Amino acid sequence: MAEISVRGRIALRAAAAASWASQRAGRGKGSMIGGLIALKIDPTIMDQLGRGRRTVLVTGTNGKSTTTRMTTAALATLGEVATQADGANMDAGIVAALSAHQGVELAAIEVDELHLPHVADSLNPAAVVLLNLSRDQLDRVGEINMIERRLRAGLAKHPDAVVIANCDDVLVTSIAYDHPNVVWVAAGSGWAMDATSCPRSGEPIVWEGAHWRSTGADFERPEPNWWLDGTELRGPDGVRLPLTLALPGRANRGNAAQAVAAAVALGADAGQAAAAAGTVREIAGRYRTVRVGEHAARLLLAKNPAGWQEALSMIEPSSAGLVIAVNGQVPDGEDLSWLWDVRFEHFEGVQVVASGERATDLAVRLTYAGVEHTTVPDPVRAIASCPAGHVEVLANYTAFRDLNRDLEAKA
């Protein structure tokens, strides 16, 4: 690994002290404040920490944390891997993760899509995983085609990086289409509302089964190098691997396929990588089941329309209850108009409870969807209001965070 400058070493010592103080004060793990202080003292610290590593960057609107965890597991078949334990995917969190793993030559780093260009410039990645791109919080992220153009320009500066791109996602394909070193993965796309027009010409996109093409540009779905076939993952040179996951949902199978492709690009054995990715069971509290009185509550997280639609497809129809918790804080996006893009109409026979700080906004949407429901703003009490048994809990970012905190306090 490259040497850290004198200023950089001072920055890291100050960061470690701030992290220790934060932990002692009971304000969390302290990694974020440590990263912020390190960057303030030495703005080049990320560049220094990235030198000499073989790094995989993982980005997209949905599935970043899960795919990063799967990529970490797959790369761990080659050796120790630096990564974020808490999903902190902006500059401070990335610096904290790298500083905690100095001397480790492999890294799997989750990156917020808005931050990918400059993080790639700092870390000079060996590979970049592009999962998907769909509308997110408009007041935070902005217009989706602008993000596509920004990511396309950012990757153009790193022609030697291997790009692991989901060819079922039109916007991701556009980002990677001109790159000289792409591994295409048919990872699936359950959300097509942001792919009705070509990002390059503005003309309609025509779908013909799994294949799609632009009607206004020489732009179409590439042939995948990796693809899912039932319970198998298929790859180059006739590779056929069983893909058995601990995590539910169609999207997670696509996430695993891209994680395996990324690990193989860095030299991992495909079979070992697939087996390792399948061992991932929980990501920062997501998918875990907790006991709340007479209820076994499974916790699911969703942050935007595409993520909500995928999470709703995982709901067990035999559940005793479904608690949907929505906040509207800055990390969630204060504009909740996206609720009207989500299909809530198909819940029958499940007791639904609208919860969270914006429970009333959600209740209005559920009413128009024809979903019978009650309104209990406190998520813990909302769970308690359901019949005894298995309860599904689907929450957006801060609602999920706060619910986990409250459950830990009651444990």
Side-chain angles (χ1 to χ4, degrees):
M1 299 293 290
E3 286 291 324
I4 304 297
S5 68
V6 173
R7 185 169 184 168
R9 291 198 295 272
I10 292 171
L12 292 177
R13 284 197 293 270
S19 297
W20 177 85
S22 179
Q23 292 174 35
R24 293 281 292 179
R27 295 181 176 272
K29 297 179 180 178
S31 58
M32 189 63 67
I33 186 63
L36 287 169
I37 286 175
L39 284 164
K40 194 72 173 177
I41 295 173
D42 187 348
T44 71
I45 191 63
M46 189 189 300
D47 304 53
Q48 296 179 60
L49 289 169
R51 290 180 194 140
R53 299 187 198 255
R54 300 172 68 211
T55 300
V56 178
L57 301 182
V58 180
T59 198
T61 309
N62 292 298
K64 293 186 289 293
S65 295
T66 300
T67 307
T68 301
R69 185 67 62 85
M70 289 177 168
T71 302
T72 300
L75 285 176
T77 62
L78 297 174
E80 187 179 354
V81 184
T83 192
Q84 302 107 312
D86 53 5
N89 58 26
M90 299 184 191
D91 294 14
I94 293 168
V95 166
L98 294 175
S99 63
H101 297 86
Q102 293 184 59
V104 176
E105 294 185 1
L106 291 170
I109 299 296
E110 174 184 344
V111 187
D112 180 271
E113 55 269 33
L114 293 178
H115 289 239
L116 180 69
H118 74 259
V119 170
D121 290 346
S122 288
L123 299 185
N124 191 27
V128 178
V129 178
L130 299 177
L131 298 170
N132 46 63
L133 198 60
S134 65
R135 70 188 74 172
D136 208 325
Q137 304 100 354
L138 189 61
D139 51 346
R140 184 185 77 86
V141 177
E143 196 270 329
I144 195 66
N145 284 337
M146 178 194 70
I147 304 302
E148 184 273 326
R149 292 190 294 271
R150 186 181 300 175
L151 294 183
R152 195 194 316 178
L155 279 186
K157 296 165 65 177
H158 298 277
D160 293 333
V162 179
V163 177
I164 315 297
N166 179 5
C167 64
D168 291 327
D169 188 292
V170 173
L171 291 167
V172 159
T173 301
S174 182
I175 294 167
Y177 206 64
D178 304 315
H179 198 275
N181 200 3
V182 184
V183 174
W184 297 107
V185 182
S189 178
W191 180 264
M193 289 181 66
D194 297 311
T196 57
S197 62
C198 175
R200 295 175 168 234
S201 68
E203 298 299 315
I205 291 288
V206 175
W207 289 79
E208 298 160 341
H211 187 77
W212 55 261
R213 61 180 174 82
S214 170
T215 57
D218 183 16
F219 176 58
E220 62 181 342
R221 181 183 185 264
E223 283 296 315
N225 305 105
W226 294 87
W227 67 97
L228 296 163
D229 183 10
T231 60
E232 287 188 331
L233 174 62
R234 298 197 180 192
D237 302 321
V239 168
R240 299 179 64 164
L241 305 169
L243 190 64
T244 303
L245 303 185
L247 297 179
R250 175 187 55 199
N252 281 328
R253 296 187 65 76
N255 293 338
Q258 291 194 253
V260 171
V264 169
L266 266 68
D269 174 79
Q272 293 179 11
T279 64
V280 174
R281 294 183 175 276
E282 180 184 319
I283 299 90
R286 305 170 200 182
Y287 306 107
R288 69 175 177 139
T289 299
V290 297
R291 175 61 58 178
V292 183
E294 298 180 330
H295 307 88
R298 183 172 69 153
L299 309 183
L300 302 173
L301 172 69
K303 296 179 283 189
N304 46 62
W308 276 83
Q309 213 61 68
E310 180 61 33
L312 287 167
S313 74
M314 300 180 191
I315 301 301
E316 291 287 344
S318 60
S319 299
L322 168 61
V323 174
I324 306 175
V326 175
N327 287 357
Q329 298 180 26
V330 171
D332 307 303
E334 296 171 304
D335 175 6
L336 294 189
S337 59
W338 56 264
L339 283 171
W340 296 87
D341 294 328
V342 180
R343 297 191 307 275
F344 290 102
E345 282 78 3
H346 62 286
F347 292 108
E348 297 177 358
V350 178
Q351 181 170 320
V352 177
V353 186
S355 190
E357 296 171 354
R358 301 289 287 272
T360 303
D361 298 76
L362 174 61
V364 171
R365 174 67 186 101
L366 293 175
T367 298
Y368 275 87
V371 177
E372 293 187 13
H373 63 279
T374 57
T375 302
V376 182
D378 180 83
V380 176
R381 293 182 179 178
I383 295 170
S385 74
C386 295
H390 179 79
V391 175
E392 301 277 23
V393 182
L394 177 54
N396 69 348
Y397 180 75
T398 66
F400 184 89
R401 178 200 66 194
D402 295 348
L403 174 59
N404 273 280
R405 179 199 61 204
D406 293 344
L407 291 175
E408 288 173 5
K410 293 177 181 294

